[in-house]
Amino acid sequence: MAENAVFVGNKPVMNYVLAVLTQFNSGVKEVSVKARGRAISRAVDVAEIVRKRFLPDVDVKDIKISTEKVESEQGEANVSAIEITLVKKE
């Protein structure tokens, strides 16, 4: 599967909503919204805004959660991650 992913960070939510909408409008059937750590709630917001306000024919196909080990100056830390797969209904 070609990876159509939007990585959510610290920018405003609408930036990521626009990125998802752009991918769907280019003919893609499936888009993954990915985030780690504190950006997880923003990723959920992105998925919900796309579904409720812009593209009612988009559904949540899958949600994956995981933990990633990240090296930092303080040593090793565990960071939560989420991947929300959105799919356009036929």
Side-chain angles (χ1 to χ4, degrees):
M1 175 182 108
E3 194 62 34
N4 300 306
V6 174
F7 293 91
V8 176
N10 292 320
K11 291 179 183 162
V13 170
M14 290 311 290
N15 290 35
Y16 303 108
V17 170
L18 188 62
V20 172
L21 293 175
T22 303
Q23 292 219 351
F24 275 125
N25 288 335
S26 70
V28 175
K29 294 274 178 261
E30 214 172 87
V31 177
S32 291
V33 180
K34 298 182 177 186
R36 292 197 319 195
R38 295 189 183 130
I40 288 175
S41 63
R42 194 173 286 114
V44 173
D45 291 345
V46 168
E48 288 299 289
I49 290 170
V50 168
R51 288 177 54 224
K52 301 277 193 278
R53 208 183 297 172
F54 293 103
L55 297 173
D57 61 333
V58 167
D59 267 341
V60 174
K61 175 184 174 186
D62 192 22
I63 297 174
K64 294 185 183 116
I65 56 172
S66 60
T67 305
E68 299 175 13
K69 290 204 181 301
V70 175
E71 292 288 337
S72 66
E73 297 83 50
Q74 291 83 23
E76 202 174 71
N78 290 330
V79 177
S80 299
I82 192 168
E83 178 179 347
I84 305 167
T85 306
L86 300 173
V87 65
K88 204 169 209 171
K89 292 182 212 162
E90 295 301 317

